[in-house]
Amino acid sequence: MVCFCLFLNSIFQPLNKTLTNNQINKLAVPAIISGISEPILSITDAAIVGHINLNATESLAAVGIVSSFLSMLIWVLGQSRSAISTIISQYLGAKKVEEVKNLPAQAIVIIVILSIIICVTTIPFSESIFKLYNAKGLLLEYSAEYYKIRIIGFPFTLYTFALFGVFRGLQNTYYPMIIAITGACINIILDFLFVYGFYEIIAPMNLKGAAVASVLSQVIMAIMATILILKNTPISLILTAPINKELPKFLTMIGNLIIRTLALNLALFFATSFATAYGTNYIAAYTIAINLWFLAAFAVDGYASAGNILSGKLLGAKQFSTLIELSKRLTKKALIIGMLIGGIGGVFYKSLGRMFTTDVEVLSIFYAVFWIVLIMQPICAITFVFDGIFKGLGKMRDLRNVLLLSTFIVFVPALFLANYLDFKLHGVLWAFTLWMIARGLPLIVKFRKQFLPQLRKH
């Protein structure tokens, strides 16, 4: 904690002008908007199905359980975005982008094939999967029904994520923002049309309608990303030989990030499973809280994305002093955003809950714990920024090790202890808070230990 306080003190020291705020904001602001748009797919589904006339609470809970599992799948294979971005940005900094022009196509083929295999193998076992989340009865039926449709969009999402990685590696977050905003808007419109129906033209589909809307919006985003890549970048999406020399490095990065993300999602699995075991009202309240947390996390992640993009380029150019300055600037900005998000959440505390449901018991449980999500935001901000910087530096093994230790040594014991003490959702969210601290502190220490000596050398 002493190291953490010293670090906070250092980021508010005067900074030189080597790296301008305009450079950072030009990348971060579109990434923030793009990031906010990503979880809107699940949040929109949750908000709309939470107000249907037929079994709204069970539908909301089903969206929460399925979104948790889908997030695991997307985050596991969606790490291709960070790996592609890292490699391309480093080559951009070294002025050698031509050497990796054919890498994205080769990487995308691997990722899409894996995603299709996951679709084919998980659909027949959907009920068994959600039984592991303690779902049963109507909740289990709804979860399996919703998943069998939502999973169809999985390959399209991973494909789009990979293309976002190409854009980010080329220092472009504008096009991903346009794509994400368009996809989110289309999803909202289609949600209303398919869930509630449209006069005599479209019959109400309830929960199934939300799943169909999400899949269609994901397909449209994939088409948009393809067109913009082909028209505006030198990157080819045609698979060509020979195998790019950086493909083994890409696969190694993906391997480390997959292990890391599996540990991350193990934490989400345990949290969702415990919340479900506490009862339908608890998992519904947890669904609201966790979706709002994801929304806040993606908002702060805009500056983490800037860290990913710029740190790779600066490392490739060996500009270590600017790299350290970048870490200070990003942390300061992310802290401000984290506190702003917490403050906005406090102002609209009651309204946010009512956006998702009118169930009095669910809202009572949600209001009792949501404040924990809000006070976590500054902590999350710092952790996400250094996550992004380490990804840009290509230090995926360090990220893997930190996530494994924080999950198995901090989060899991804290969650089981809180469950034993019958803290219910309070325990789940406090375990997440400790987890975020355990993820952030080691990265701060390691970054400063490695790059401050480099600064003195140069």
Side-chain angles (χ1 to χ4, degrees), residues 69-70 73-74 77 111-126 129 147-158 215 218:
F69 182 66
L70 277 174
L73 296 179
I74 291 169
L77 293 182
I111 295 300
V112 171
I113 290 174
L114 286 174
S115 69
I116 293 172
I117 291 172
I118 288 173
C119 287
V120 172
T121 55
T122 58
I123 288 175
F125 301 101
S126 54
I129 290 169
Y147 176 76
K148 287 175 182 177
I149 300 173
R150 272 295 304 270
I151 191 62
I152 296 171
F154 182 55
F156 296 98
T157 297
L158 293 183
V215 171
Q218 288 163 333

Side-chain angles (χ1 to χ4, degrees), residues 37-94:
S37 300
E38 289 176 14
I40 281 180
L41 291 178
S42 293
I43 285 180
T44 303
D45 286 359
I48 290 178
V49 303
H51 290 90
I52 60 177
N53 295 323
L54 181 66
N55 302 317
T57 300
E58 288 79 7
S59 297
L60 176 59
V63 170
I65 293 172
V66 173
S67 295
S68 178
F69 182 66
L70 277 174
S71 294
M72 178 192 74
L73 296 179
I74 291 169
W75 289 349
V76 167
L77 293 182
Q79 298 302 321
S80 58
R81 175 173 60 181
S82 295
I84 291 173
S85 174
T86 296
I87 293 170
I88 291 179
S89 64
Q90 289 181 4
Y91 271 78
L92 183 68

Side-chain angles (χ1 to χ4, degrees), residues 180-425:
I181 289 175
T182 304
C185 291
I186 290 172
N187 184 65
I188 292 171
I189 294 169
L190 294 180
D191 257 333
F192 277 102
L193 290 176
F194 293 148
V195 173
Y196 298 133
F198 184 71
Y199 294 104
E200 301 296 324
I201 302 173
I202 302 174
M205 297 172 65
N206 296 318
L207 185 61
K208 286 183 180 179
V212 172
S214 294
V215 171
L216 290 176
S217 63
Q218 288 163 333
V219 172
I220 292 169
M221 289 169 68
I223 294 171
M224 287 183 65
T226 302
I227 293 171
L228 289 172
I229 280 284
L230 295 178
K231 289 186 66 175
N232 299 282
T233 76
I235 301 299
S236 171
L237 295 180
I238 298 173
L239 189 63
T240 59
I243 292 175
N244 191 277
K245 63 181 181 180
E246 291 293 341
L247 187 62
K249 179 180 178 181
F250 168 81
L251 294 175
T252 301
M253 286 183 176
I254 287 291
N256 283 323
L257 287 173
I258 284 176
I259 294 171
R260 172 185 183 269
T261 310
L262 286 172
L264 185 154
N265 282 285
L266 180 66
L268 289 174
F269 165 75
F270 273 119
T272 305
S273 180
F274 275 56
T276 306
Y278 298 144
T280 302
N281 290 332
Y282 280 92
I283 182 57
Y286 170 81
T287 297
I288 300 171
I290 203 69
N291 273 294
L292 289 173
W293 184 44
F294 287 158
L295 180 65
F298 277 106
V300 175
D301 197 50
Y303 282 101
S305 296
N308 184 334
I309 295 164
L310 290 170
S311 62
K313 183 180 179 182
L314 294 173
L315 180 67
K318 301 186 184 303
Q319 297 178 12
F320 300 115
S321 62
T322 310
L323 179 60
I324 292 171
E325 180 185 343
L326 173 69
S327 72
K328 294 180 178 181
R329 286 183 180 269
L330 289 177
T331 303
K332 184 176 179 179
K333 291 176 180 295
L335 270 173
I336 292 170
I337 289 183
M339 290 186 286
L340 183 63
I341 289 172
I344 292 172
V347 171
F348 296 101
Y349 201 89
K350 298 288 184 180
S351 303
L352 287 171
R354 289 193 292 269
M355 285 175 55
F356 292 86
T357 184
T358 56
D359 189 303
V360 176
E361 291 187 23
V362 174
L363 286 174
S364 176
I365 296 168
F366 169 73
Y367 292 144
V369 299
F370 184 49
W371 62 274
I372 304 175
V373 175
L374 299 181
I375 66 172
M376 286 170 58
Q377 294 314 307
I379 299 170
C380 294
I382 297 176
T383 299
F384 293 149
V385 160
F386 277 87
D387 260 4
I389 290 174
F390 270 68
K391 285 177 182 177
L393 297 174
K395 295 185 175 298
M396 312 309 187
R397 187 174 65 175
D398 291 333
L399 290 171
R400 178 200 68 191
N401 292 341
V402 167
L403 210 293
L404 286 171
L405 291 173
S406 62
T407 298
F408 290 104
I409 295 179
V410 178
F411 180 81
V412 173
L415 184 65
F416 275 84
L417 176 61
N419 180 66
Y420 175 76
L421 296 173
D422 199 31
F423 288 172
K424 292 189 168 61
L425 285 193

Side-chain angles (χ1 to χ4, degrees), residues 415-445:
L415 184 65
F416 275 84
L417 176 61
N419 180 66
Y420 175 76
L421 296 173
D422 199 31
F423 288 172
K424 292 189 168 61
L425 285 193
H426 283 85
V428 172
L429 293 176
W430 279 123
F432 273 130
T433 304
L434 294 173
W435 184 58
M436 294 305 298
I437 294 171
R439 286 174 56 184
L441 276 176
L443 296 181
I444 293 170
V445 172

